[in-house]
PDB file of all heavy atoms in Angstrom:
ATOM      1  N   ARG W   1     -68.052 -42.769   1.963  1.00 83.00           N
ATOM      2  CA  ARG W   1     -69.484 -42.681   2.075  1.00 83.00           C
ATOM      3  C   ARG W   1     -69.819 -42.449   3.565  1.00 83.00           C
ATOM      4  O   ARG W   1     -70.728 -41.645   3.832  1.00 83.00           O
ATOM      5  CB  ARG W   1     -70.144 -43.974   1.633  1.00 83.00           C
ATOM      6  CG  ARG W   1     -71.620 -43.952   1.721  1.00 83.00           C
ATOM      7  CD  ARG W   1     -72.318 -45.054   0.957  1.00 83.00           C
ATOM      8  NE  ARG W   1     -73.719 -45.119   1.032  1.00 83.00           N
ATOM      9  CZ  ARG W   1     -74.561 -44.310   0.364  1.00 83.00           C
ATOM     10  NH1 ARG W   1     -74.167 -43.544  -0.493  1.00 83.00           N
ATOM     11  NH2 ARG W   1     -75.795 -44.382   0.567  1.00 83.00           N
ATOM     12  N   ARG W   2     -69.135 -43.099   4.438  1.00 88.00           N
ATOM     13  CA  ARG W   2     -69.377 -42.975   5.898  1.00 88.00           C
ATOM     14  C   ARG W   2     -69.062 -41.497   6.274  1.00 88.00           C
ATOM     15  O   ARG W   2     -69.750 -40.887   7.057  1.00 88.00           O
ATOM     16  CB  ARG W   2     -68.426 -43.865   6.692  1.00 88.00           C
ATOM     17  CG  ARG W   2     -68.751 -43.793   8.171  1.00 88.00           C
ATOM     18  CD  ARG W   2     -67.861 -44.734   8.927  1.00 88.00           C
ATOM     19  NE  ARG W   2     -67.799 -46.074   8.255  1.00 88.00           N
ATOM     20  CZ  ARG W   2     -67.466 -47.168   8.850  1.00 88.00           C
ATOM     21  NH1 ARG W   2     -67.086 -47.152  10.155  1.00 88.00           N
ATOM     22  NH2 ARG W   2     -67.358 -48.327   8.184  1.00 88.00           N
ATOM     23  N   LEU W  12     -77.075 -31.587  10.120  1.00 95.00           N
ATOM     24  CA  LEU W  12     -78.551 -31.765  10.499  1.00 95.00           C
ATOM     25  C   LEU W  12     -78.709 -31.485  11.995  1.00 95.00           C
ATOM     26  O   LEU W  12     -79.578 -30.744  12.427  1.00 95.00           O
ATOM     27  CB  LEU W  12     -79.000 -33.027  10.012  1.00 95.00           C
ATOM     28  CG  LEU W  12     -80.507 -33.262  10.036  1.00 95.00           C
ATOM     29  CD1 LEU W  12     -81.149 -32.210   9.064  1.00 95.00           C
ATOM     30  CD2 LEU W  12     -80.915 -34.609   9.581  1.00 95.00           C
ATOM     31  N   LEU W  15     -78.374 -27.768  12.680  1.00 96.00           N
ATOM     32  CA  LEU W  15     -79.582 -27.059  12.339  1.00 96.00           C
ATOM     33  C   LEU W  15     -80.685 -27.373  13.353  1.00 96.00           C
ATOM     34  O   LEU W  15     -81.435 -26.313  13.735  1.00 96.00           O
ATOM     35  CB  LEU W  15     -80.084 -27.647  10.959  1.00 96.00           C
ATOM     36  CG  LEU W  15     -79.488 -27.000   9.723  1.00 96.00           C
ATOM     37  CD1 LEU W  15     -80.060 -27.811   8.478  1.00 96.00           C
ATOM     38  CD2 LEU W  15     -79.781 -25.574   9.615  1.00 96.00           C
ATOM     39  N   SER W  17     -80.283 -27.918  16.512  1.00 97.00           N
ATOM     40  CA  SER W  17     -79.909 -27.230  17.731  1.00 97.00           C
ATOM     41  C   SER W  17     -80.171 -25.691  17.525  1.00 97.00           C
ATOM     42  O   SER W  17     -80.702 -25.123  18.429  1.00 97.00           O
ATOM     43  CB  SER W  17     -78.401 -27.462  17.948  1.00 97.00           C
ATOM     44  OG  SER W  17     -77.965 -26.756  19.005  1.00 97.00           O
ATOM     45  N   ALA W  20     -83.920 -25.201  17.869  1.00 97.00           N
ATOM     46  CA  ALA W  20     -84.373 -25.348  19.253  1.00 97.00           C
ATOM     47  C   ALA W  20     -84.026 -24.048  20.031  1.00 97.00           C
ATOM     48  O   ALA W  20     -84.712 -23.509  20.775  1.00 97.00           O
ATOM     49  CB  ALA W  20     -83.711 -26.569  19.884  1.00 97.00           C
ATOM     50  N   ALA W  29     -88.801 -29.918  13.197  1.00 93.00           N
ATOM     51  CA  ALA W  29     -89.170 -31.273  13.210  1.00 93.00           C
ATOM     52  C   ALA W  29     -90.094 -31.680  12.086  1.00 93.00           C
ATOM     53  O   ALA W  29     -90.024 -32.747  11.424  1.00 93.00           O
ATOM     54  CB  ALA W  29     -89.727 -31.649  14.576  1.00 93.00           C
ATOM     55  N   LEU W  31     -90.305 -29.950   9.230  1.00 93.00           N
ATOM     56  CA  LEU W  31     -89.770 -29.701   7.939  1.00 93.00           C
ATOM     57  C   LEU W  31     -88.558 -30.540   7.715  1.00 93.00           C
ATOM     58  O   LEU W  31     -87.978 -30.526   6.564  1.00 93.00           O
ATOM     59  CB  LEU W  31     -89.373 -28.208   7.808  1.00 93.00           C
ATOM     60  CG  LEU W  31     -90.531 -27.167   7.898  1.00 93.00           C
ATOM     61  CD1 LEU W  31     -90.036 -25.830   7.800  1.00 93.00           C
ATOM     62  CD2 LEU W  31     -91.574 -27.503   6.771  1.00 93.00           C
ATOM     63  N   LEU W  35     -86.579 -31.144   4.043  1.00 86.00           N
ATOM     64  CA  LEU W  35     -85.175 -30.842   3.938  1.00 86.00           C
ATOM     65  C   LEU W  35     -84.345 -31.967   3.352  1.00 86.00           C
ATOM     66  O   LEU W  35     -83.430 -31.786   2.511  1.00 86.00           O
ATOM     67  CB  LEU W  35     -84.599 -30.372   5.244  1.00 86.00           C
ATOM     68  CG  LEU W  35     -83.164 -29.976   5.193  1.00 86.00           C
ATOM     69  CD1 LEU W  35     -82.805 -28.748   4.374  1.00 86.00           C
ATOM     70  CD2 LEU W  35     -82.681 -29.721   6.663  1.00 86.00           C
ATOM     71  N   LEU W  36     -84.730 -33.167   3.768  1.00 83.00           N
ATOM     72  CA  LEU W  36     -83.996 -34.382   3.354  1.00 83.00           C
ATOM     73  C   LEU W  36     -84.570 -34.987   2.112  1.00 83.00           C
ATOM     74  O   LEU W  36     -84.090 -36.056   1.679  1.00 83.00           O
ATOM     75  CB  LEU W  36     -84.018 -35.368   4.500  1.00 83.00           C
ATOM     76  CG  LEU W  36     -83.330 -34.937   5.781  1.00 83.00           C
ATOM     77  CD1 LEU W  36     -83.540 -35.961   6.920  1.00 83.00           C
ATOM     78  CD2 LEU W  36     -81.893 -34.604   5.617  1.00 83.00           C
ATOM     79  N   SER W  42     -96.853 -32.599   0.697  1.00 89.00           N
ATOM     80  CA  SER W  42     -97.477 -31.528  -0.111  1.00 89.00           C
ATOM     81  C   SER W  42     -97.438 -30.175   0.653  1.00 89.00           C
ATOM     82  O   SER W  42     -97.956 -30.188   1.783  1.00 89.00           O
ATOM     83  CB  SER W  42     -98.882 -31.998  -0.358  1.00 89.00           C
ATOM     84  OG  SER W  42     -99.726 -30.862  -0.736  1.00 89.00           O
ATOM     85  N   ALA W  55     -96.816 -19.991   0.166  1.00 97.00           N
ATOM     86  CA  ALA W  55     -95.694 -19.088  -0.169  1.00 97.00           C
ATOM     87  C   ALA W  55     -94.710 -18.941   0.928  1.00 97.00           C
ATOM     88  O   ALA W  55     -93.456 -19.046   0.819  1.00 97.00           O
ATOM     89  CB  ALA W  55     -96.140 -17.741  -0.714  1.00 97.00           C
ATOM     90  N   GLU W  75     -68.462 -27.071   6.933  1.00 92.00           N
ATOM     91  CA  GLU W  75     -67.901 -28.327   7.367  1.00 92.00           C
ATOM     92  C   GLU W  75     -66.827 -28.899   6.376  1.00 92.00           C
ATOM     93  O   GLU W  75     -65.746 -29.324   6.852  1.00 92.00           O
ATOM     94  CB  GLU W  75     -68.933 -29.424   7.587  1.00 92.00           C
ATOM     95  CG  GLU W  75     -69.773 -29.181   8.859  1.00 92.00           C
ATOM     96  CD  GLU W  75     -68.998 -29.260  10.066  1.00 92.00           C
ATOM     97  OE1 GLU W  75     -68.228 -30.231  10.280  1.00 92.00           O
ATOM     98  OE2 GLU W  75     -69.087 -28.345  10.896  1.00 92.00           O
ATOM     99  N   HIS W  92     -68.445 -34.052  -5.135  1.00 89.00           N
ATOM    100  CA  HIS W  92     -67.948 -35.426  -4.780  1.00 89.00           C
ATOM    101  C   HIS W  92     -68.866 -35.932  -3.708  1.00 89.00           C
ATOM    102  O   HIS W  92     -69.287 -37.178  -3.737  1.00 89.00           O
ATOM    103  CB  HIS W  92     -66.461 -35.419  -4.326  1.00 89.00           C
ATOM    104  CG  HIS W  92     -65.945 -36.734  -4.035  1.00 89.00           C
ATOM    105  ND1 HIS W  92     -65.748 -37.697  -4.993  1.00 89.00           N
ATOM    106  CD2 HIS W  92     -65.571 -37.298  -2.889  1.00 89.00           C
ATOM    107  CE1 HIS W  92     -65.275 -38.833  -4.443  1.00 89.00           C
ATOM    108  NE2 HIS W  92     -65.189 -38.573  -3.143  1.00 89.00           N
ATOM    109  N   LEU W  97     -73.213 -39.991  -2.408  1.00 84.00           N
ATOM    110  CA  LEU W  97     -74.522 -40.224  -1.858  1.00 84.00           C
ATOM    111  C   LEU W  97     -75.534 -40.670  -2.853  1.00 84.00           C
ATOM    112  O   LEU W  97     -76.510 -41.355  -2.530  1.00 84.00           O
ATOM    113  CB  LEU W  97     -74.956 -39.038  -1.074  1.00 84.00           C
ATOM    114  CG  LEU W  97     -74.073 -38.677   0.186  1.00 84.00           C
ATOM    115  CD1 LEU W  97     -74.549 -37.390   0.808  1.00 84.00           C
ATOM    116  CD2 LEU W  97     -74.123 -39.792   1.156  1.00 84.00           C
ATOM    117  N   SER W  98     -75.443 -40.145  -4.114  1.00 84.00           N
ATOM    118  CA  SER W  98     -76.391 -40.522  -5.079  1.00 84.00           C
ATOM    119  C   SER W  98     -76.210 -41.857  -5.831  1.00 84.00           C
ATOM    120  O   SER W  98     -76.973 -42.395  -6.495  1.00 84.00           O
ATOM    121  CB  SER W  98     -76.536 -39.435  -6.071  1.00 84.00           C
ATOM    122  OG  SER W  98     -75.404 -39.328  -6.910  1.00 84.00           O
TER     123      SER W  98
END
Side-chain angles (χ1 to χ4, degrees):
R1 183 168 176 82
R2 186 181 315 199
L12 195 60
L15 278 175
S17 176
L31 296 180
L35 177 66
L36 298 175
S42 162
E75 286 296 310
H92 182 67
L97 295 173
S98 67

